[in-house]
Amino acid sequence: MLIDFHVHLAGNGCCQSGIILGKKFERRPTFFLLKKMQKITKEQLVTDIDLLWIRRISNFIENSQYISKAVTLCLDSIYNENGKELEDYIQMYIPNSWGCEVKKKFPKTLDFGASIHPYRKDSLQELEYCYKEKAFLVKWLPSMMGIDPENPLCFPFYEALRALNIPLLSHTDTEHTFALPVKKWGEYNHISKLKKPLEMGVTVIAAHAGTPTQLSETEELVNQYENFFLDTSGLFNPTRARSALKLFAKSKNTVLRERLLFATDWPVPAIPHLIIDKLGFNAFKTLQQITNPFEKDLKIKEYLGFNLADFKKNQDSLLTLLGRSLTEVNLT
Ligand SMILES: [Zn+2]
């Protein structure tokens, strides 16, 4: 059975979750699209969106034959280099306390993906707390959170991650869901910036595998570091679909084959229309009949030459590297 390493929590704090939905994000087209796709009503936004969201993910996983766990991701606030929180920049804030709560509510299907800004003065204490609560990983979205992975302020955090053997899942390349609060921050998503934590011995997972524009750097780093994995989340949307084809083609005869992990980026949808020329009409028709979005994503990847067994093998190597047994992650 597979773990989905990249699934988003969301909400607006209606159910004492502590989630903050920023006004800036509420005005973005992606927010409207999300509401429409997920069929979220006005009433639900007031009454129970936070809970409805996690129930929805849990149900999909519960009803899946192949995917047994989703790592659901928190999203920390934004801090400057002096450790001051920049509340005005918040588009979405999902506290680690909610991530823990989610895992407690759905221990069979949902796991805790923490998020900690390394410039926070209490970042190491927060990491300790998340470790005690058995966080599966720590997630960053550098361009939106204002984290430069090469900034020395991150180094003590890397040391702690390595010591506790917690992987870092960091977004790579372009970002469209959230606005860029500061133009320069766009550079922070460059995959080559992950060289520093890799060098320091942290297990790193590059979200979106360096698509759409950083595939050659990705390959270089994978060749260099055994502690480097790539998640295959959010690949079948207009910005990444064509480069996803390249990624899977490359993975047929390179070391990339040993590093790709299963991940969806739910609620970001997988749109097979974008690669119908590659899939063929019959495959496309089969995909249209799959109602579980997690299974649909897996099936597309299978058509592109990467099946469940391939993902499982890489998942096992990651878990071995992290010293985690299958019973510990509740996959048996
Ligand atoms: Zn994502």
Side-chain angles (χ1 to χ4, degrees):
M1 293 290 269
L2 291 178
I3 299 172
D4 183 336
F5 287 89
H6 190 140
V7 177
H8 288 281
L9 292 171
N12 61 9
C14 64
C15 316
Q16 273 88 48
S17 64
I19 294 178
I20 298 171
L21 173 65
K23 286 273 166 284
K24 281 192 190 104
F25 186 57
E26 253 182 300
R27 285 193 292 266
R28 276 184 73 75
T30 36
F31 180 72
F32 287 101
L33 215 66
L34 209 65
K35 260 196 320 193
K36 200 173 151 57
M37 269 173 2
Q38 293 299 323
K39 301 190 174 71
I40 309 280
T41 65
K42 266 194 185 139
E43 290 72 47
Q44 287 166 339
L45 279 174
V46 181
T47 54
D48 65 347
I49 178 67
D50 304 354
L51 287 169
L52 178 141
W53 195 263
I54 55 174
R55 251 184 257 128
R56 198 166 283 183
I57 306 169
S58 182
N59 282 341
F60 281 132
I61 301 297
E62 184 92 55
N63 295 322
S64 170
Q65 286 182 67
Y66 313 110
I67 302 135
S68 58
K69 187 143 278 197
V71 180
T72 48
L73 305 172
C74 298
L75 184 54
D76 201 1
S77 188
I78 297 135
Y79 292 81
N80 69 12
E81 291 188 3
N82 300 321
K84 188 186 174 311
E85 189 178 0
L86 306 173
E87 284 162 2
D88 290 350
Y89 285 5
I90 291 180
Q91 297 176 70
M92 174 85 81
Y93 165 68
I94 301 164
N96 291 318
S97 53
W98 181 238
C100 296
E101 189 64 32
V102 166
K103 180 178 168 142
K104 280 173 195 150
K105 284 189 197 300
F106 298 99
K108 253 184 70 200
T109 46
L110 307 184
D111 213 330
F112 169 29
S115 181
I116 303 166
H117 199 300
Y119 301 176
R120 271 170 74 156
K121 292 219 166 74
D122 64 346
S123 66
L124 297 182
Q125 284 102 293
E126 185 71 9
L127 183 61
E128 193 67 41
Y129 157 73
C130 292
Y131 174 73
K132 286 198 184 117
E133 294 291 341
K134 296 198 165 27
F136 196 100
L137 48 77
V138 170
K139 165 78 195 293
W140 287 353
L141 176 37
S143 64
M144 184 257 206
M145 297 167 79
I147 303 169
D148 178 357
E150 287 177 323
N151 190 318
L153 281 171
C154 301
F155 300 172
F157 194 75
Y158 294 149
E159 269 167 35
L161 283 176
R162 188 190 48 81
L164 300 171
N165 219 348
I166 299 177
L168 173 68
L169 170 66
S170 195
H171 178 101
T172 58
D173 215 335
T174 48
E175 158 65 24
H176 296 280
T177 308
F178 293 106
L180 206 55
V182 177
K183 203 167 165 231
K184 190 183 160 1
W185 291 2
E187 298 163 18
Y188 295 168
N189 289 342
H190 202 286
I191 201 156
S192 58
K193 284 195 175 275
L194 297 175
K195 201 175 161 85
K196 194 66 210 175
L198 285 166
E199 235 169 50
M200 290 181 68
V202 179
T203 300
V204 178
I205 305 169
H208 321 299
T211 58
T213 66
Q214 295 160 5
L215 267 181
S216 53
E217 290 93 336
T218 305
E219 214 179 336
E220 236 169 77
L221 287 175
V222 164
N223 274 309
Q224 232 176 322
Y225 296 99
E226 283 182 7
N227 45 332
F228 194 36
F229 288 79
L230 312 167
D231 95 12
T232 53
S233 70
L235 293 182
F236 307 110
N237 58 54
T239 45
R240 293 199 155 90
R242 301 316 295 186
S243 58
L245 296 181
K246 272 191 220 151
L247 174 74
F248 285 107
K250 263 177 188 274
S251 76
K252 287 201 172 110
N253 47 19
T254 64
V255 68
L256 289 179
R257 177 144 216 102
E258 293 156 29
R259 307 298 174 80
L260 298 184
L261 297 171
F262 178 69
T264 58
D265 210 11
W266 190 91
V268 176
I271 312 168
H273 304 69
L274 298 167
I275 49 168
I276 192 166
D277 54 324
K278 178 76 188 166
L279 293 167
F281 192 63
N282 283 340
F284 179 77
K285 259 186 16 206
T286 310
L287 286 166
Q288 290 305 90
Q289 281 152 19
I290 303 176
T291 51
N292 186 319
F294 293 81
E295 296 207 335
K296 189 188 218 170
D297 185 279
L298 179 63
K299 192 74 184 169
I300 300 176
K301 289 163 184 170
E302 197 182 300
Y303 281 129
L304 299 181
F306 217 85
N307 65 24
L308 188 142
D310 297 316
F311 280 124
K312 180 69 172 57
K313 207 166 140 218
N314 297 348
Q315 176 178 304
D316 287 349
S317 1
L318 173 70
L319 293 177
T320 308
L321 195 66
L322 298 174
R324 296 183 200 173
S325 65
L326 291 181
T327 35
E328 196 182 330
V329 291
N330 222 341
L331 278 179
T332 45

